Amino acid sequence: MSGSPIPPLKRPQLAEARRVRAVELFGQGCSNAEVAGIVGVRVESVQRWRRVWESGGAQALRRRPAPGRRPKLDDARVEQVRHALEQGAQAHGFDADLWTLERVGLVVERVTGVSLSRASVWRLLTGRLGWSLQRPDRRAVERDGSEIPRWIAHRDSVARRSRHS
């Protein structure tokens, strides 16, 4: 299979999918209780949907765009940003392969020409891209696994001597 995986449906999309399925079931003559059981909602919701459907048709049950200002980045630009971020921070000239809000903001501006606030970068990462906060493990860069047990034994012996002094 090629291409990117289908992203999971978000809550508004799921609600609309339920209403669309309910309309199909209305057309098949199902009762409100049957529709409620099939789509997994309360009968009162189905009653409300049926009234809307009877007065305005299936289109009246479709999702409407959220009110308010349109996002600065459309879906195509968000995908450009996703692709850029998946290359890693070092691919964009940063010393460490670690993303910060400031770094992501710089990459967004380079890739799309759009400047975002820190809060908007956070919403982009967590909401639209589905990323989560990750903190790097604190480990020595020059870690030597064979030396760890020796270091622990040394640390414990020093601690024992200081308690007995």
Side-chain angles (χ1 to χ4, degrees):
M1 182 187 258
S2 64
S4 61
I6 298 171
L9 293 177
K10 299 218 184 317
R11 191 173 181 282
Q13 294 167 322
L14 286 172
E16 182 180 30
R18 283 190 182 106
R19 293 190 304 269
V20 167
R21 178 69 178 129
V23 166
E24 293 170 0
L25 296 169
F26 294 157
Q28 295 171 11
C30 292
S31 71
N32 289 346
E34 290 171 322
V35 173
I38 292 169
V39 300
V41 298
R42 297 171 50 115
V43 174
E44 292 83 4
S45 296
V46 174
Q47 289 169 341
R48 188 175 62 252
W49 296 347
R50 188 180 291 269
R51 283 192 305 272
V52 170
W53 173 66
E54 288 171 346
S55 66
Q59 194 58 36
L61 287 171
R62 289 284 186 183
R63 189 166 54 118
R64 289 182 274 302
R69 185 176 181 177
R70 307 234 354 112
K72 287 184 174 182
L73 300 176
D74 60 19
D75 291 342
R77 284 182 163 175
V78 170
E79 286 309 310
Q80 288 177 318
V81 170
R82 179 191 308 275
H83 177 72
L85 296 178
E86 286 173 348
Q87 294 171 356
Q90 288 178 323
H92 293 279
F94 299 108
D95 293 337
D97 220 7
L98 179 72
W99 286 117
T100 64
L101 293 177
E102 290 79 11
R103 288 180 176 187
V104 172
L106 287 170
V107 171
V108 167
E109 192 163 1
R110 287 179 197 157
V111 169
T112 67
V114 175
S115 177
L116 297 177
S117 68
R118 285 174 46 99
S120 294
V121 170
W122 178 256
R123 282 191 300 273
L124 168 69
L125 290 171
T126 58
R128 297 190 68 191
L129 292 175
W131 287 24
S132 61
L133 176 65
Q134 303 289 315
R135 297 205 186 270
D137 286 340
R138 290 193 162 266
R139 289 188 185 173
V141 175
E142 298 171 1
R143 183 180 168 123
D144 182 351
S146 64
E147 286 293 312
I148 294 173
R150 189 184 69 74
W151 178 82
I152 291 173
H154 170 74
R155 182 196 63 190
D156 292 348
S157 71
V158 169
R160 278 192 300 273
R161 276 186 273 156
S162 67
R163 279 195 302 258
H164 297 320
S165 307

